[in-house]
Amino acid sequence: MIQLIRGFRDILPGEVEVWQHIEEVATGLFDDFGFKEIRIPIMEKTELFARSIGEDTDIVEKEMYTFPDRKGDLLTLRPEATAAVVRSYIQHKMYAQDPVRKFFTIGPMFRRERPQKGRYRQFYQINAEVFGIGSALVDAQLIHMLIHLCKRLNVADVIPHINSLGCPDCRTAFKAALSAFLENVSGVLCEDCQRRRHRNPLRALDCKVPTCREALTEAPSLTAFLDRECRAEFDLLQESLTRLGLDYVLDKRLVRGLDYYSRATFEIQTGALGAQSAVAGGGRYDGLVKALGGPDIPATGFAIGFDRLAELVGLEREGLVRRPKLFIAALGERSRMLAFEWMNALGLAGVQAEMDHEGRSLKSQMKRADRLGAAFVLMVGEEELERGEVLLRDMTQSEQESIPLADVLERLQSLPAS
Ligand code: ATP
Ligand code: MG
C-alpha cells in the first residue's frame, strides 16, 4: 500500500471542522480590520526565497524543497508566504495608487524539517501583511488581532513576546558585541553557530540546540543598542500594547536573522503545546520591498501556525461537527424513491438528511441513524403509504408523531434547529 510522504498528513473529517471554524473566525476578523485576501502561487523561483529569507538561515540552507523543472529553472515549494506577497505587491505596482495595503492569505508551506508533533513538512499558515506604514502602532494592532483571534477561538493560554531588532545601523554595533561574546563561548557552540558566528551572529540567538541556548543566556541584548528613533518606536510599541489592554513579555532572544527585518519582532507563545510553543510569529521587514526591487516602502506582518492553532482549538470541539438533522428509514421500493426525493429537496433547503440505499431492515437502519447522530428519524414503509401518513421520531425526546403524507416536506423543512 502506498503511504503518504513523511512529515505530510491528511486532515480528516472530524478534525477538518476545526480548521473550517478557525478559517471562518480569522477571515471575519481580517475583514473587520480592513484586510483583503490575496492568493499567491505555491511555487516560486528559488531566488525569491533565497534573497528574502536569506542564505544563512535554516530554511534556505537545508529545509527548502527545491528542484529544477524540465527546462532546468530552479523552483521552490514556498517555505513561507511573505516573500511571494511582496513579489506580488511589487509586480502589480500595487503601491502606485496608495502604498498602504493590508492583505491576508491562508495556505500550505513546505519545509523539510524533522517531523514531530506540531512540526510538519507540509504545514499551513495564516498570514497578514501591511505595506506602507512604518509606525509601531501597526505592529501593536497586529499583535492585538492575534490575541483576539485566539480569544474568539477560546484559546486562553497565549502571550505575546516582543523584541526590537533596531535598524541596520543599530545592528552593526550589536553584531560586533554579539560576535565578541560568541568568540568567548565558541567552545560549546554547535557547528551551525560556529559557522554563522562571523557572517550572521544573530542566528545564534535563535538556535534550538540546548547547549547553545544555555551558552547564550548572558548574551548582550539588542535593545541596549537601539538608537534614539528605534528606541522611541519600541517604547511606542509597548505603550500602544498597554493602551490596548495587552500583557506582553520582553524577550531579548527573539530575532529574525536578516538585515531586511527591523524594529518590532514578536511571537505569540503558549504553554499548552509542549516544545513547539510558538503559535504565530511576525515583525517588521522595512527593507524587504526595496531589496526585492520595489520602492522603499515599510512593511510588517505575521504568520500563524495553523496546525498548532488547530491543535489548541481542540479536535472534538463540541458542536463543530455537523450531524444529520434527519435519517429517513424507508422500507420497500416505493418508500425508498419517496425518501430519495425528500432527501434531495431537504438538502436544497439546508436540512441535512441521510437515508439507506441498501434495503436494510428497519432495525439496522435505526442503528445507522443512531450512529450518525441524526436528531430525527422519519419512518416510511408500505403500511404507512397505505395509511397516507408517516412516523417522525424525535431521537432525543424519544417521542413520535404521525404526519400526513401531503404535509411531510413542509414539516421536515421546519424541523427545529439543533
Ligand atoms: P519555529 O521556531 O517553531 O521553528 P519558525 O520561527 O520557523 O518557528 P516562522 O517561520 O516564524 O516559524 O512561522 C510562523 C509560525 O508557523 C510558527 O510560529 C509556527 O507556529 C508555524 N510553523 C513553522 N514551522 C512549522 C512546521 N514545520 N510545522 C508546523 N508549523 C510550523
Ligand atoms: Mg523553524
Side-chain angles (χ1 to χ4, degrees):
M1 198 216 97
I2 300 170
Q3 305 245 350
L4 48 59
I5 310 168
R6 191 166 124 82
F8 288 59
R9 63 188 185 133
D10 302 318
I11 297 154
L12 305 175
E15 190 181 355
V16 95
E17 287 79 358
V18 173
W19 288 65
Q20 290 168 337
H21 175 60
I22 293 174
E23 243 181 76
E24 197 180 308
V25 174
T27 50
L29 185 87
F30 286 134
D31 198 32
D32 292 344
F33 279 84
F35 286 67
K36 306 283 181 213
E37 183 172 7
I38 181 169
R39 298 191 186 192
I40 44 181
I42 276 172
M43 246 197 302
E44 298 271 354
K45 293 180 181 162
T46 302
E47 194 194 344
L48 175 69
F49 301 117
R51 270 171 61 191
S52 61
I53 302 170
E55 307 273 2
D56 299 320
T57 55
D58 277 352
I59 295 181
V60 173
E61 275 179 351
K62 47 194 176 195
E63 295 174 359
M64 292 203 308
Y65 284 94
T66 295
F67 57 90
D69 77 355
R70 283 166 188 269
K71 286 212 167 134
D73 295 327
L74 270 192
L75 305 179
T76 294
L77 288 176
R78 63 180 187 194
E80 57 111 52
T82 303
V85 177
V86 173
R87 186 221 14 88
S88 177
Y89 178 75
I90 299 170
Q91 183 164 357
H92 302 287
K93 296 198 172 49
M94 289 194 242
Y95 47 81
Q97 225 184 0
D98 180 358
V100 179
R101 293 295 184 105
K102 299 187 275 185
F103 300 114
F104 74 91
T105 190
I106 304 177
M109 308 296 153
F110 303 85
R111 296 183 195 172
R112 201 174 187 290
E113 307 193 66
R114 194 168 70 77
Q116 53 194 294
K117 192 170 157 55
R119 200 173 280 290
Y120 309 98
R121 290 179 170 179
Q122 175 176 332
F123 62 100
Y124 292 75
Q125 286 186 342
I126 304 174
N127 284 260
E129 318 286 353
V130 179
F131 293 91
I133 308 174
S135 167
L137 292 179
V138 184
D139 305 315
Q141 183 181 28
L142 290 174
I143 295 171
H144 177 246
M145 287 169 66
L146 281 169
I147 295 298
H148 282 275
L149 173 62
C150 291
K151 278 207 175 131
R152 285 187 185 180
L153 293 166
N154 286 325
V155 172
D157 181 15
V158 284
I159 183 123
H161 284 223
I162 63 169
N163 194 16
S164 173
L165 297 179
C167 58
D169 288 344
C170 342
R171 270 201 306 268
T172 313
F174 173 68
K175 276 185 186 169
L178 182 60
S179 228
F181 176 87
L182 292 174
E183 206 68 53
N184 280 332
V185 296
S186 77
V188 294
L189 297 180
C190 73
E191 253 178 57
D192 285 340
C193 289
Q194 295 281 0
R195 189 163 30 84
R196 292 166 178 164
R197 205 168 74 215
H198 303 291
R199 274 180 57 176
N200 199 346
L202 256 68
R203 299 298 321 165
L205 290 173
D206 198 25
C207 183
K208 304 230 158 52
V209 176
T211 45
C212 293
R213 294 195 74 91
E214 175 68 36
L216 279 146
T217 42
E218 295 299 316
S221 159
L222 215 162
T223 46
F225 289 77
L226 297 180
D227 61 24
R228 192 153 10 112
E229 236 180 288
C230 291
R231 179 79 248 167
E233 281 297 301
F234 195 41
D235 290 343
L236 177 62
L237 173 66
Q238 295 176 59
E239 190 198 325
S240 39
L241 288 174
T242 306
R243 283 281 190 118
L244 293 171
L246 298 173
D247 290 329
Y248 56 87
V249 174
L250 289 175
D251 187 345
K252 67 172 189 175
R253 301 186 62 108
L254 211 59
V255 292
R256 293 273 186 280
L258 286 158
D259 286 346
Y260 310 126
Y261 292 89
S262 51
R263 297 191 171 163
T265 177
F266 53 86
E267 222 166 65
I268 306 299
Q269 302 224 354
T270 176
L273 284 180
Q276 315 316 331
S277 58
V279 187
R284 196 154 267 292
Y285 48 95
D286 286 343
L288 189 56
V289 179
K290 187 160 183 227
L292 289 177
D296 194 0
I297 288 175
T300 179
F302 63 66
I304 303 170
F306 203 146
D307 307 70
R308 293 183 196 173
L309 188 57
E311 180 79 31
L312 284 175
V313 172
L315 295 188
E316 276 301 329
R317 258 223 17 197
E318 212 49 47
L320 282 184
V321 179
R322 190 174 174 194
R323 310 231 175 256
K325 169 81 15 173
L326 177 79
F327 188 92
I328 309 174
L331 291 172
E333 284 291 320
R334 273 206 304 159
S335 311
R336 223 171 10 254
M337 188 48 83
L338 262 181
F340 175 71
E341 282 174 29
W342 290 335
M343 183 183 74
N344 283 293
L346 287 171
L348 291 183
V351 179
Q352 197 186 101
E354 297 287 342
M355 66 177 281
D356 166 71
H357 293 276
E358 324 289 328
R360 290 198 181 92
S361 70
L362 181 62
K363 194 171 156 209
S364 89
Q365 291 195 46
M366 292 303 283
K367 257 198 197 155
R368 174 133 189 273
D370 209 39
R371 208 170 49 238
L372 291 172
F376 294 87
V377 175
L378 186 78
M379 286 170 277
V380 48
E382 288 301 326
E383 232 175 82
E384 283 80 11
L385 291 183
E386 294 292 303
R387 274 210 316 269
E389 51 184 33
V390 293
L391 280 177
L392 181 67
R393 186 174 172 82
D394 181 331
M395 298 297 275
T396 43
Q397 308 292 320
S398 298
E399 289 166 358
Q400 59 190 42
E401 58 177 308
S402 16
I403 304 168
L405 264 181
D407 301 344
V408 168
L409 254 188
E410 199 182 339
R411 177 74 181 80
L412 295 179
Q413 281 169 353
S414 59
L415 283 175
S418 50

